[in-house]
């Protein structure tokens, strides 16, 4: 867990009235890269579609940026090229400032909670405004009053005679993620603020951004208890672990391999090499020699990696787990740019079907981008979000 991540306690446990897994149901790109005033609805499985330049990847970038801020990362780590996030053609104000705006809605026990964030990219990267709202009430607002100070002035709802409590928060971090460190939670109003902030933080922290890189998946890797990384370059290491930990899911992965890989496939296995490394192989059965995954094509490797991601969970994927909150209260959201990249139509259809099946179970959500949405249109549980350049 990041050192700046808040410690939170859920106010509605599974099985209690109003209990639900917090989940991002709407992404707002008010002014971000190619997007202006875009409001994108997100179901359990949403695929962004559109021609090149329509903003599919930038929508996922905005989602991941919010997730990283929810984990406690600072703006420089999240937006290393912040000037590129400013909408094309946006003019600077009289002080030479240019920036961008993004936000989301998170549904859960506290009802729909909106988070809206305004970031100044130039001349200095910092938050210039943040708003958290729920039930028609503004729970948190921040504003950059003095550009010379690396702080924002914050006000959060507390009811009572004053109505709000004021304080200062760092201008390089998401104020919502820091609220549990500043709000005592002694009154019903304070508890409402904490519940809303907690709901947003839980949803944003439960994100795994995945983009398998086949060229890095071909070599043997060191054996160990590691978690699957973003590029899936340690696929063999993770398969070595999951093969023994969950036989049912491994069997499901092997079944997917039989459909998405060329030739006869009887199993997926891992071979321990003499130098402390392991490599993964497709077991062919009979007299056929097993095929090392390093010999597979890019499409087959991306297909297998994404199938493994969909069939596993936070304990195996490299995500910022919320250890202090019960697993039943959390859900995992996978962000997959280029979901159908390098895949043939049959592989794409199989992968969409597997993703829809896992999302329907409620323990995983997926937001991805596809170059050809024909593999997903008409599939139950899949929403295609068409973007126009």
């Amino acid at each position: 867990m990041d050192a700046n991540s808040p410690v939170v306690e859920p106010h509605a446990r599974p099985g209690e009235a109003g209990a639900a897994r917090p989940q991002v149901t709407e992404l707002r790109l008010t002014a971000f890269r190619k997007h202006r005033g875009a409001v994108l609805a997100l179901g359990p499985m949403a695929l962004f579609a559109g021609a090149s330049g329509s903003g599919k990847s930038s929508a996922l970038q905005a989602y991941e940026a919010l997730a990283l801020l929810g984990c406690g990362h600072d703006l420089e780590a999240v937006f290393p090229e912040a000037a590129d996030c400013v909408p094309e053609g946006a003019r600077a104000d009289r002080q030479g400032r240019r920036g961008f705006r993004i936000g989301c809605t998170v549904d859960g026990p506290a009802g729909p909670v909106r988070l809206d964030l305004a970031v100044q990219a130039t001349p200095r990267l910092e938050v210039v405004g943040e708003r958290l709202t729920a039930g028609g009430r503004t729970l948190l607002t921040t504003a950059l009053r003095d550009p010379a100070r690396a702080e924002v002035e914050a006000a959060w709802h507390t009811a009572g005679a004053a109505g709000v409590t004021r304080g200062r928060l760092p201008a390089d971090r998401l104020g919502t993620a820091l609220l549990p460190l500043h709000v005592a939670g002694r009154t019903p109003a304070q508890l409402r603020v904490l519940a809303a902030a907690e709901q947003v933080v839980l949803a944003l922290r439960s994100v795994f951004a995945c983009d398998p890189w086949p060229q890095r998946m071909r070599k043997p890797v060191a054996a160990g208890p590691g978690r699957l990384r973003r590029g899936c370059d340690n696929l063999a290491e993770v398969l070595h672990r999951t093969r023994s930990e969950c036989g049912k899911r491994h069997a499901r992965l092997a079944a997917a391999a039989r459909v998405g890989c060329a030739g006869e496939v009887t199993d997926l296995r891992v071979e321990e090499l003499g130098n402390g490394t392991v490599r993964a192989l497709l077991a062919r059965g009979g007299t056929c020699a097993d095929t090392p995954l390093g010999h597979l094509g890019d499409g087959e490797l991306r297909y297998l990696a994404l199938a493994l991601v969909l069939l596993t969970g936070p304990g195996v994927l490299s995500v910022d787990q919320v250890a202090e909150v019960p697993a039943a209260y959390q859900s995992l959201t996978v962000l997959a740019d280029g979901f159908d990249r390098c895949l043939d139509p049959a592989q794409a259809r199989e992968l969409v079907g597997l993703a829809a099946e896992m999302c329907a179970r409620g323990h995983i959500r997926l937001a991805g981008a596809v170059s050809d949405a024909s593999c997903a249109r008409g599939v139950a549980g899949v929403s295609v979000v068409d973007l126009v350049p």
Side-chain angles (χ1 to χ4, degrees):
M1 184 183 303
D2 190 278
N4 297 291
S5 299
V7 176
V8 294
E9 288 291 338
H11 299 289
R13 301 287 183 177
E16 296 179 349
R21 293 184 179 90
Q23 48 197 232
V24 177
T25 55
E26 183 180 81
L27 182 65
R28 289 185 298 282
L29 309 174
T30 307
F32 186 79
R33 290 187 177 268
K34 293 179 177 293
H35 298 279
R36 288 182 179 273
V39 179
L40 309 178
L42 302 177
M45 179 175 175
L47 294 176
F48 302 133
S52 178
S54 60
K56 303 185 295 293
S57 295
S58 59
L60 291 175
Q61 180 191 5
Y63 194 151
E64 184 181 3
L66 289 169
L68 291 172
L69 290 170
C71 290
H73 295 279
D74 62 40
L75 289 177
E76 287 193 3
V78 176
F79 300 106
E81 304 293 338
D84 294 340
C85 300
V86 179
E88 296 177 1
R91 297 181 179 180
D93 63 12
R94 293 180 179 179
Q95 287 75 40
R97 298 175 298 186
R98 300 170 71 242
F100 53 89
R101 294 174 179 267
I102 57 178
C104 64
T105 298
V106 177
D107 282 359
V113 180
R114 287 174 56 103
L115 169 67
D116 293 286
L117 184 68
V119 177
Q120 174 185 288
T122 58
R124 186 171 70 182
L125 181 61
E126 53 196 347
V127 174
V128 295
E130 180 180 346
R131 184 180 296 270
L132 186 72
T133 58
R137 184 183 296 276
T138 299
L139 303 179
L140 167 71
T141 58
T142 72
L144 184 66
R145 303 296 187 192
D146 183 357
R149 302 183 64 175
E151 294 177 323
V152 292
E153 183 177 297
W156 52 87
H157 174 65
T158 53
V164 298
T165 297
R166 300 187 183 278
R168 291 190 175 275
L169 298 175
D172 66 342
R173 298 182 187 273
L174 187 70
T176 296
L178 299 175
L179 273 181
L181 303 176
H182 295 267
V183 180
R186 296 192 182 96
T187 68
Q190 291 175 343
L191 289 173
R192 282 195 294 271
V193 172
L194 286 175
E198 168 198 279
Q199 181 166 293
V200 170
V201 169
L202 285 177
L204 293 179
R205 284 174 63 179
S206 303
V207 165
F208 177 66
C210 177
D211 188 6
W213 295 349
Q215 64 272 28
R216 297 188 179 183
M217 297 164 57
R218 301 185 184 280
K219 296 180 180 179
V221 296
R227 295 190 291 173
L228 191 66
R229 296 189 283 264
R230 178 195 189 104
C232 301
D233 50 292
N234 63 331
L235 178 69
E237 175 194 12
V238 176
L239 278 175
H240 188 248
R241 170 187 171 189
T242 58
R243 193 173 192 274
S244 60
E245 290 182 356
C246 187
K248 289 184 178 179
R249 292 197 175 189
H250 179 79
R252 185 68 179 84
L253 179 63
R258 283 192 284 273
V259 177
C261 297
E264 179 186 4
V265 177
T266 59
D267 198 2
L268 273 167
R269 70 180 190 87
V270 177
E271 179 182 36
E272 297 185 17
L273 304 178
N275 57 357
T277 63
V278 294
R279 66 173 182 173
L281 306 97
L282 290 181
R284 298 298 191 181
T287 59
C288 297
D290 294 346
T291 303
L293 261 59
H295 295 177
L296 301 182
D298 286 359
E300 290 175 307
L301 285 173
R302 281 186 60 87
Y303 171 88
L304 287 174
L306 288 168
L308 177 61
V309 169
L310 294 169
L311 286 166
T312 187
V316 177
L317 304 178
S318 183
V319 298
D320 182 38
Q321 288 184 272
V322 191
E324 67 274 17
V325 176
Y329 192 74
Q330 303 178 51
S331 63
L332 170 70
T333 297
V334 174
L335 304 184
D337 197 7
F339 187 72
D340 61 343
R341 187 184 306 142
C342 300
L343 304 186
D344 64 34
Q347 290 171 325
R349 287 193 298 270
E350 178 67 18
L351 199 59
V352 166
L354 176 61
E357 174 191 340
M358 300 309 295
C359 290
R361 297 183 181 183
H363 294 281
I364 189 173
R365 293 171 69 86
L366 183 139
V370 292
S371 58
D372 182 1
S374 61
C375 61
R377 297 192 190 277
V379 177
V382 181
S383 58
V384 176
V385 183
D386 291 297
L387 302 179
V388 179

